[in-house]
Amino acid sequence: PTEPPTEPPTEPPTEPPTIQPRCLVNVEIECVDNEETDCNSLQSPPNQCATGGEIGEVTFTYLGTSCVKSANNQDGNCEDLESDLPETAKVSCLIPGGEILYSGTKSINESFSVTGLRSAPLPAMIICEISDAADDKLKQIVQINTSGNESLSLLDIYGSLQLYGCNQQNCLVPITYTYEIENIGTEPMIIDFLERTSRIVFKINGETVTDESSQDRLGLVIDRDLNPQEKTTVSENAVLNLCLKGTYDTDVTVKADPPDPPLGIPCEAQDDYSITVDQSGCKIDVDITCVDNEGKSCADIVVPTGQCSNGEQIDILTFTYQGGSCSDAANTQEQSTCENVNGGINSSNESRIRCEKFPISEIGIGDELYFDGSVSVNEEITLRSSVGLPLSNEMICMIFQNNQKRQELIFFTSGIEDLYLKDVFGSLTLESCDEKDCLVPVTYTYILNNVGQSAMEVTEAVRIRGGSSEDLIDQVADKTLEVGE
């Protein structure tokens, strides 16, 4: 009998594409005082301590300055015994006649408090002696009226001492910054960078002064290895000066790597927190909420995995038309091509885009033409079959302006070759593939709250995002806000 034909050898299964691990990280800043009050809701204290009542406590900061630097409304209250004041001083404050109310060693910019004896109010006058901590040599004598009947204002300077608090009125408020770091991706990650930048902008004698510094805070991160959806927090203490009118900005940058740094793609995130100190009594707080069309908080929206090529055929792709050049391409498809022709694209002109199966077959077959229409820069185009079939393995997109072809793109959409969200093919940026979508419609709501000490009129409302700004003042329904509204 005839031998049956030999079966052809079975083709080995196609290896699935290698997925390059990508991490996604988020960081948010919170700031509160010791009573858990948000730092933006803190009120500047009244300046005047002398209101006719008793004064039980005063707080000073040692400046190390001579009597000529005094700035207050009390006369004849400072005497320099020597011209140079020490960096580290022994400060003794006492009642005229000798009883000591406070004694301690202080360096420049360190603070201390003076209280009355045995819970009694302060006497009408206190005398503070400044000596060199090294040899106890007396350098300066200051007299300060604490009766409550003579002017005593916060930020007054008495020789080497500056008043920062009286009774419950305190300029210097301890605050705590907390940085919440979250892995919002689908891959484990390792935090390898955390930097905090502090920027203070204020005015002295009419001149704007900026003080900025950056510090490495990675050492404060106890748990640096985060699995998907895990969080870790970092806290640090600071002191806020509520009597110094200005802006206090804190920026935090966090960077992380997937577990395999040579292969994985690192990620980073930033957040900022701004405190405005305004002693005029006018202070406004702005809360921002963000939700998607289903009412879900933007913070809870799951970030899609970037990989579109998972071995399965792709049905729908959405691109944003950027009006760019082939030099803008950023993708990992080695065989994809991009060619600028006839001078390339003019981004200020409207374009016509035609995307279809490649190689091009007979024109007019509906399941091979995926998009043909006019678009402007930043508009989206969606590629899909008109009869519900998957996209072809290879795609060609042609961009026309003034009836001339200006750019031709050829790329792969089989689901096997590398294809990631945010890949750039010439003037097209990939935004979604099937159910994975980078662009989600959201709604921002801005809640304005008068947290100051007097009624106010909202005169300006500007939204700044991504380097662009938009005037929102016409959208403010009630521009007059009473205290607490």
Side-chain angles (χ1 to χ4, degrees):
T2 305
E3 292 289 331
T6 305
E7 290 291 329
T10 303
E11 291 290 330
T14 303
E15 291 291 327
T18 301
I19 297 178
Q20 205 171 16
R22 297 186 176 192
C23 70
L24 287 169
V25 65
N26 185 57
V27 61
E28 294 184 358
I29 304 176
E30 181 186 71
C31 178
V32 296
D33 68 0
N34 290 344
E35 298 178 354
E36 297 297 316
T37 302
D38 187 272
C39 293
N40 268 313
S41 298
L42 297 175
Q43 299 281 334
S44 295
N47 287 334
Q48 186 56 248
C49 297
T51 58
E54 296 174 335
I55 298 176
E57 179 181 23
V58 287
T59 299
F60 295 100
T61 294
Y62 175 63
L63 302 179
T65 50
S66 64
C67 290
V68 296
K69 297 294 184 180
S70 294
N72 61 77
N73 291 320
Q74 297 184 12
D75 298 325
N77 48 31
C78 184
E79 179 184 2
D80 285 324
L81 303 180
E82 294 194 3
S83 59
D84 58 321
L85 273 293
E87 290 190 5
T88 303
K90 177 184 176 183
V91 182
S92 297
C93 294
L94 49 139
I95 298 173
E99 270 194 287
I100 295 177
L101 301 174
Y102 171 84
S103 182
T105 300
K106 292 295 169 184
S107 297
I108 290 176
N109 291 329
E110 287 187 343
S111 300
F112 64 94
S113 295
V114 182
T115 58
L117 291 173
R118 293 172 289 279
S119 301
L122 288 170
M125 184 76 68
I126 63 172
I127 299 173
C128 291
E129 298 178 343
I130 315 301
S131 305
D132 194 323
D135 57 14
D136 214 27
K137 191 172 185 179
L138 186 59
K139 297 284 188 174
Q140 187 181 85
I141 300 175
V142 178
Q143 295 184 52
I144 304 169
N145 189 307
T146 53
S147 65
N149 297 314
E150 186 170 343
S151 178
L152 184 69
S153 299
L154 296 178
L155 299 186
D156 276 357
I157 298 176
Y158 301 86
S160 58
L161 304 181
Q162 184 165 26
L163 183 66
Y164 272 98
C166 58
N167 294 340
Q168 303 302 314
Q169 300 163 225
N170 292 302
C171 292
L172 305 179
V173 177
I175 58 175
T176 300
Y177 286 102
T178 300
Y179 317 127
E180 182 182 84
I181 304 169
E182 181 180 7
N183 181 347
I184 60 173
T186 59
E187 301 286 340
M189 70 181 189
I190 302 170
I191 301 168
D192 56 14
F193 180 91
L194 181 65
E195 183 178 76
R196 186 260 293 147
T197 299
S198 299
R199 186 183 309 103
I200 305 174
V201 181
F202 55 94
K203 286 189 175 183
I204 295 181
N205 297 327
E207 294 187 6
T208 300
V209 178
T210 301
D211 182 15
E212 181 173 329
S213 64
S214 296
Q215 291 188 320
D216 181 0
R217 285 294 179 254
L218 184 62
L220 300 178
V221 185
I222 297 176
D223 186 6
R224 300 184 190 178
D225 297 311
L226 295 182
N227 289 319
Q229 313 312 313
E230 282 189 345
K231 301 178 182 180
T232 188
T233 58
V234 175
S235 296
E236 60 176 336
N237 297 324
V239 175
L240 176 63
N241 188 346
L242 289 174
C243 296
L244 183 61
K245 183 177 179 178
T247 303
Y248 299 74
D249 293 327
T250 298
D251 300 328
V252 170
T253 300
V254 60
K255 298 180 182 179
D257 277 310
D260 302 314
L263 300 176
I265 300 175
C267 54
E268 69 175 84
Q270 296 87 29
D271 195 20
D272 61 88
Y273 192 100
S274 183
I275 304 170
T276 299
V277 175
D278 188 345
Q279 294 175 281
S280 64
C282 173
K283 188 172 185 181
I284 190 167
D285 180 52
V286 181
D287 286 330
I288 303 176
T289 62
C290 176
V291 296
D292 66 7
N293 290 343
E294 297 177 353
K296 181 189 295 184
S297 170
C298 295
D300 296 329
I301 297 175
V302 177
V303 178
T305 56
Q307 182 83 5
C308 294
S309 49
N310 56 11
E312 298 181 0
Q313 289 182 300
I314 298 172
D315 295 323
I316 301 174
L317 293 176
T318 300
F319 291 88
T320 297
Y321 174 58
Q322 306 287 4
S325 171
C326 289
S327 61
D328 298 323
N331 61 79
T332 54
Q333 290 191 7
E334 295 182 358
Q335 302 302 316
S336 66
T337 63
C338 179
E339 181 182 5
N340 294 320
V341 294
N342 294 317
I345 294 174
N346 183 341
S347 61
S348 63
N349 293 343
E350 188 177 71
S351 301
R352 174 189 162 218
I353 299 179
R354 180 184 176 92
C355 295
E356 55 193 303
K357 175 183 176 182
F358 185 82
I360 299 174
S361 57
E362 298 179 20
I363 298 177
I365 302 177
D367 63 349
E368 295 184 345
L369 179 62
Y370 302 120
F371 181 85
D372 190 350
S374 297
V375 296
S376 299
V377 171
N378 293 327
E379 287 187 351
E380 292 183 14
I381 65 171
T382 298
L383 311 186
R384 57 156 56 94
S385 167
S386 62
V387 294
L389 296 176
L391 298 177
S392 59
N393 291 342
E394 202 168 350
M395 182 86 63
I396 180 170
C397 288
M398 295 167 285
I399 293 92
F400 300 87
Q401 289 182 333
N402 300 324
N403 296 319
Q404 282 190 322
K405 185 193 293 185
R406 298 302 180 99
Q407 190 176 94
E408 181 178 285
L409 312 169
I410 299 174
F411 51 93
F412 297 90
T413 53
S414 65
I416 297 176
E417 290 86 356
D418 277 356
L419 189 63
Y420 293 94
L421 296 178
K422 290 301 180 181
D423 274 354
V424 180
F425 300 92
S427 59
L428 299 181
T429 298
L430 182 60
E431 303 291 359
S432 71
C433 53
D434 291 340
E435 299 300 320
K436 300 177 181 179
D437 198 341
C438 289
L439 302 179
V440 178
V442 299
T443 300
Y444 287 96
T445 302
Y446 312 107
I447 302 171
L448 312 183
N449 184 23
N450 182 353
V451 295
Q453 302 172 15
S454 60
M456 66 171 60
E457 185 82 13
V458 180
T459 59
E460 184 177 359
V462 179
R463 189 265 295 147
I464 300 175
R465 186 187 305 129
S468 64
S469 61
E470 181 181 355
D471 190 347
L472 302 178
I473 189 63
D474 291 338
Q475 299 182 37
V476 180
D478 189 357
K479 297 181 176 64
T480 301
L481 297 179
E482 299 296 329
V483 175
E485 289 186 342

